[in-house]
Amino acid sequence: MDLFTFTRAELTSPVQFCDGRWVVSGYDDVRAILADPVTYLPDNALTAVTPVAPAALRALVRARFSLPPTLANNGSESHAGLRRLVASFFTPVRVAAAEPRIRELVLERLGGTDLVHDLAWDTPAIVLMDLLGLENVDIPTLKRWSTGSLEFFWGNISTERQLELVDDVGDFHQWLIKRYHARDGELFEALADAGVSAEDSAGLCYFLLIAGQETTTQLLSTALRRALQDRALWARLGVPGVAESFVEDVLRTDTPVVTWRRLTAREVVLSGVRVPAGAELVLLLSGKENDPRHLAFGYGRHFCLGAGLARLETAVTLRTVAEHEPSLHLVGEDPQWLNLLSFRAPKSVAVSR
């Protein structure tokens, strides 16, 4: 079984050993693991899936790159304070206030022939920068840095590919350090005022600025493609509540964040299977077809802070596109897919009118 492309149907056990990692797919097991950061450590959440080659590692050292424990990979007491600071930018009021801007950006991007390239690609990044109070961000550069970082840390890649990507990883980190020292933007001002160090701020923002928009790009891409495959649904997306319910179904069965990782701090037993201490767990976040539950945004103290924003952006986008382009339909063959350990989504959604 290939961990980068596997489906739930390929699993033969709720706890299955594969390629040196333990894949855990049962809802109750995954939920319990995410709820217990003491037994199941988050330390490996951002660790490169493919070990970093020495030449690439030297380049990261030159760039003074680091990902200290801050949010997703933080099981220490410092997590709560950092999370509260970041959460202040994602309050329900702030997120709801973004709806007109989301609709405006979608309307500006109608008329293209690829809904990923023309719409889903940059809209979430612009919305996130607005929400975090970060102005004068070159969005194409941010997207290059963030997509490259996803591949670098979550891809099954060669040393040659690591060396192709490593400069962007380092440049992104250095950009974050510079903005912190310049107090350039509301987020960096808040971090500096709270006494968060430059290194910790860069590590926190590195993942926040990637996850806060790349996963929404992926969710938009998946949701738009699935919605266009169902003409009856496409015609009803303007009905109140339909888009929101559909987004939840996509999250349940086709979440772009397909897995997340944990480390066992001690020997444990999961669904009758004994798993040793120090084992790397790959947690399946999607739900079963006949189970309304899912863990697409995680659970517990590391629950995704951007969940509300992602849900809103996707529902507003679906509704707006369907209302203004009701005759839109898919064309061409099945697209290429992003296939990383934790992230999957179509790379294009080709359409015609």
Side-chain angles (χ1 to χ4, degrees):
M1 186 177 74
D2 185 348
L3 281 177
F4 293 85
T5 59
F6 80 94
T7 63
R8 181 181 282 278
E10 294 178 66
L11 298 172
T12 58
S13 169
V15 180
Q16 186 167 332
F17 190 68
C18 180
D19 291 339
R21 299 179 172 95
W22 296 83
V23 179
V24 184
S25 56
Y27 175 89
D28 291 335
D29 282 338
V30 174
R31 188 176 185 269
I33 290 167
L34 292 172
D36 183 357
V38 175
T39 304
Y40 304 98
L41 306 173
D43 303 32
N44 64 333
L46 308 182
T47 302
V49 173
T50 302
V52 180
L57 187 58
R58 287 193 292 270
L60 293 180
V61 170
R62 287 195 296 271
R64 298 183 180 179
F65 179 89
S66 66
L67 283 177
T70 53
L71 291 180
N73 62 341
N74 191 353
S76 74
E77 294 181 358
S78 67
H79 175 267
L82 292 169
R83 183 178 172 87
R84 280 195 299 272
L85 188 154
V86 175
S88 68
F89 289 88
F90 293 91
T91 64
V93 172
R94 285 177 70 98
V95 169
E99 181 169 349
R101 176 62 167 153
I102 296 168
R103 186 177 296 107
E104 174 190 17
L105 289 168
V106 174
L107 288 171
E108 289 175 356
R109 285 157 175 74
L110 295 179
T113 58
D114 180 354
L115 296 182
V116 175
H117 178 271
D118 299 319
L119 192 161
W121 184 248
D122 64 352
T123 299
I126 296 170
V127 172
L128 182 66
M129 295 307 105
D130 288 348
L131 210 63
L132 297 176
L134 301 181
E135 300 178 350
N136 302 316
V137 175
D138 185 276
I139 297 298
T141 299
L142 175 64
K143 292 296 294 187
R144 188 183 76 247
W145 286 340
S146 59
T147 55
S149 295
L150 281 186
E151 185 179 355
F152 189 91
F153 284 100
W154 281 275
N156 183 18
I157 58 176
S158 65
T159 297
E160 289 73 22
R161 184 58 178 158
Q162 284 185 349
L163 293 174
E164 290 173 359
L165 296 169
V166 72
D167 286 343
D168 279 344
V169 172
D171 288 348
F172 188 13
H173 184 264
Q174 285 299 306
W175 178 80
L176 294 169
I177 292 285
K178 290 175 183 176
R179 290 201 70 139
Y180 169 88
H181 285 304
R183 298 173 61 92
D184 190 357
E186 292 178 31
L187 175 61
F188 292 105
E189 288 180 357
L191 289 165
D193 289 343
V196 182
S197 70
E199 181 184 65
D200 284 355
S201 294
L204 182 154
C205 293
Y206 183 86
F207 182 69
L208 176 62
L209 266 60
I210 294 172
Q213 47 88 21
E214 285 296 335
T215 55
T216 307
T217 287
Q218 295 160 14
L219 179 57
L220 286 174
S221 304
T222 302
L224 285 163
R225 183 172 182 269
R226 263 192 54 178
L228 284 165
Q229 291 172 326
D230 186 339
R231 299 311 304 175
L233 170 71
W234 189 255
R236 297 182 61 248
L237 283 171
V239 176
V242 170
E244 286 78 6
S245 294
F246 176 67
V247 170
E248 212 58 33
D249 188 59
V250 172
L251 287 166
R252 181 176 63 86
T253 59
D254 285 321
T255 174
V257 186
V258 288
T259 69
W260 210 239
R261 286 176 290 165
R262 287 292 184 266
L263 282 173
T264 53
R266 57 175 174 80
E267 184 182 88
V268 297
V269 176
L270 296 167
S271 290
V273 177
R274 194 173 300 278
V275 179
E280 182 167 6
L281 308 180
V282 176
L283 312 177
L284 192 61
L285 302 183
S286 61
K288 294 181 179 179
E289 286 291 338
N290 58 352
D291 189 340
R293 302 173 300 175
H294 68 78
L295 295 160
F297 294 113
Y299 184 76
R301 64 183 293 181
H302 290 97
F303 183 82
C304 176
L305 288 169
L309 180 62
R311 284 179 163 119
L312 177 69
E313 280 192 71
T314 309
V316 170
T317 299
L318 287 167
R319 191 159 44 240
T320 303
V321 176
E323 287 177 351
H324 287 81
E325 297 201 301
S327 63
L328 208 63
H329 58 273
L330 292 172
V331 296
E333 300 177 355
D334 287 343
Q336 289 187 331
W337 281 68
L338 176 72
N339 282 313
L340 306 177
L341 180 66
S342 292
F343 307 98
R344 296 184 195 168
K347 291 186 175 182
S348 64
V349 177
V351 294
S352 184
R353 290 155 185 82

